[in-house]
Amino acid sequence: MADVKLRLAERAADLIGSIIDSSTSLLARQTHDIVRFAMGAPSDDLMPVELLDRYAAYTVPGKYGYGSTEGEPDLVEEVLKIQAEQNYSSSADRITITTGGMQGLDLACKLFIDPGDLVIVEGPTYTNGNATALSYGAALLEAPLDEDGLVVEALPDLVARAGRPPKVIYTIPNFQNPSGVTLSSHRREQLLELAARWGSVIIDDDPYGLLRFENSPIPALNEIDPGNAHIFSVRTFSKILAPGLRVGWVDADPSLRPLLINAKQAMDTCTSVPAQRTVADFLAGGNLQPHLDRVVGLYRERKQAMRVALERHFGDAVRATDPDGGFFLWVTFTDSEVDTDALFEVALAEGVAYIPGSAFSTNGHFRDALRLCFATSTPDRIDEGILRLKRAVDKAGGSR
Ligand code: PMP
């Protein structure tokens, strides 16, 4: 091949990709037994596979044609019912069906972020959220998290130091990815006040909210302040049903709908109609609540199994969060010599995979931490995986 110099767009340099997503192909290439704590996905036995297969086999006219960009009307109706169950009454003109939650994030960033705009993100936060904002040229400002979620009280100082208000605030309020923590009710109110003061859009990314297994739900931002045009909500069926469907939705101010449709038409025309129909028919069959009732009990068991295994194999060498729902534990090594970037290869060879903490920060923070997904493994496998992790730490020694 001739040595061709391609003249790339400047934005190509800002495409950072996702270590999380790349772990899928990395793990597929391994031939030895690996306990998989890396990807945030339900295990096959916790997806309603048989029911989805049955609904996928239904044939209706137009199922394999193009659909409308805003989404299949039956699915929009089902989405509104799910939201109404969560005490949030929305309307069809606020909903756009998306190709997974990722497309919702992409649409939000496309509509609100110009190169150089200040975007507040949680530190740590979902790798792909950072990647999406960066792909539109955002200047990311990492704000701290504690066990009550984003430390909203810290934002005014951070913003004063930045010298300008944030255009966007990106938050994952429930069972945050990667930390598992939940934004308290008081902080939700404060966040809404600050966003109003600064004129910032809040990207409210909540894929896990329906997967609560402990304590009572906290009202969502759009339940606290319905109709607030500054709340842009991103949702997905990936964690509550199955990620391979690639179906999600956004709930946003009706004035944004034409822009969302224009933007989506320039991406993928419409979300897969067969996938939308499968989800719509599954939901119309009244299958969601029984499915959630079954899986959340198992997730609770798996989370507890992971906390017990961490205590058994690591004792006070680690600190782990204790989420009320979702998929993730965030584990911090109290021994500052442990470097989870360097540990990764040793752990993989020992037969356990996780996501290193540094994947969740664009500043290289959190090399003393890692994310473990407890949703994908049974309690026995979880214990085995944590034992392997301990062996890897012992083998790697202090490697920072
Ligand atoms: N936001 C968060 C916080 C997530 O954890 C995920 C999935 N890992 C997504 C968005 C993307 O969801 P989807 O797979 O539906 O694109």
Side-chain angles (χ1 to χ4, degrees):
M1 273 258 271
D3 184 15
V4 182
K5 265 238 171 333
L6 294 173
R7 293 165 57 236
L8 292 171
E10 271 176 36
R11 86 178 71 83
D14 293 327
L15 300 175
I16 62 166
S18 167
I19 295 171
I20 309 175
D21 294 356
S22 302
S23 74
T24 302
S25 39
L26 174 72
L27 292 179
R29 290 197 299 273
Q30 310 300 313
T31 50
H32 64 299
D33 174 50
I34 296 174
V35 182
R36 287 154 197 252
F37 297 146
M39 208 58 195
S43 50
D44 274 3
D45 61 318
L46 294 196
M47 297 186 220
V49 174
E50 280 174 22
L51 278 172
L52 290 173
D53 277 352
R54 192 185 317 153
Y55 289 111
Y58 284 9
T59 294
V60 289
K63 179 173 170 185
Y64 293 103
Y66 287 115
S68 58
T69 304
E70 54 269 41
E72 291 297 288
D74 293 358
L75 182 56
V76 171
E77 207 171 292
E78 293 301 325
V79 159
L80 292 174
K81 284 191 213 157
I82 292 175
Q83 301 203 135
E85 290 275 318
Q86 305 302 112
N87 299 316
Y88 168 54
S89 142
S90 187
S91 51
D93 57 355
R94 298 182 56 91
I95 308 294
T96 305
I97 301 296
T98 57
T99 302
M102 276 313 304
Q103 188 173 60
L105 291 180
D106 196 62
L107 287 164
C109 293
K110 185 166 250 174
L111 258 49
F112 291 106
I113 299 177
D114 282 321
D117 279 349
L118 191 68
V119 173
I120 291 183
V121 298
E122 294 162 341
T125 192
Y126 178 44
T127 316
N128 301 29
N130 277 344
T132 308
L134 285 177
S135 76
Y136 289 99
L140 300 183
L141 179 61
E142 203 172 81
L145 278 183
D146 65 18
E147 55 283 0
D148 287 327
L150 176 66
V151 183
V152 178
E153 306 85 298
L155 299 187
D157 267 0
L158 284 174
V159 166
R161 252 179 283 149
R164 60 201 166 125
K167 189 83 177 292
V168 167
I169 303 170
Y170 172 53
T171 184
I172 305 164
N174 292 311
F175 330 125
Q176 200 250 12
N177 182 359
S179 67
V181 299
T182 291
L183 190 63
S184 69
S185 180
H186 177 59
R187 284 184 175 171
R188 291 178 193 217
E189 309 253 0
Q190 281 179 304
L191 184 63
L192 287 167
E193 276 171 34
L194 286 177
R197 190 194 305 165
W198 292 328
S200 316
V201 164
I202 302 175
I203 302 180
D204 153 41
D205 183 16
D206 186 16
Y208 304 98
L210 292 175
L211 298 174
R212 175 177 280 280
F213 45 66
E214 271 156 13
N215 295 318
S216 320
I218 298 176
L221 294 170
N222 51 22
E223 188 184 336
I224 297 173
D225 194 8
N228 179 337
H230 286 94
I231 306 172
F232 189 106
S233 300
V234 175
R235 303 289 185 264
T236 177
F237 289 102
S238 292
K239 317 296 173 167
I240 54 177
L241 290 185
L245 289 164
R246 312 303 304 134
V247 179
W249 75 93
V250 302
D251 183 298
D253 193 72
S255 65
L256 296 175
R257 191 61 160 349
L259 295 175
L260 287 168
I261 288 175
N262 289 352
K264 188 169 158 67
Q265 285 173 346
M267 288 179 189
D268 65 356
T269 302
C270 66
T271 293
S272 158
V273 180
Q276 289 189 68
R277 289 246 47 97
T278 300
V279 176
D281 291 340
F282 175 93
L283 297 171
N287 297 294
L288 181 62
Q289 201 51 53
H291 167 66
L292 291 176
D293 291 344
R294 181 176 90 86
V295 295
V296 292
L298 292 164
Y299 289 143
R300 182 191 308 114
E301 227 173 86
R302 290 175 180 197
K303 178 203 78 168
Q304 279 162 355
M306 190 170 267
R307 283 182 54 83
V308 167
L310 284 165
E311 176 62 35
R312 178 180 308 139
H313 300 298
F314 283 96
D316 54 16
V318 298
R319 274 193 327 270
T321 51
D322 190 3
D324 289 340
F327 284 2
F328 306 113
L329 283 190
W330 180 249
V331 176
T332 307
F333 287 89
T334 49
D335 170 3
S336 61
E337 291 300 298
V338 175
D339 173 357
T340 58
D341 280 1
L343 180 66
F344 183 80
E345 282 214 11
V346 187
L348 196 61
E350 279 301 317
V352 60
Y354 62 84
I355 303 292
S358 63
F360 303 98
S361 162
T362 51
N363 297 335
H365 294 155
F366 312 117
R367 285 180 71 162
D368 58 348
L370 48 82
R371 186 192 81 175
L372 298 177
C373 172
F374 53 76
T376 318
S377 311
T378 58
D380 282 356
R381 286 285 284 174
I382 287 174
D383 189 71
E384 174 62 25
I386 300 297
L387 176 63
R388 292 179 187 181
L389 185 63
K390 176 70 169 82
R391 283 196 204 120
V393 170
D394 291 344
K395 258 194 192 163
S399 47
R400 198 188 271 263

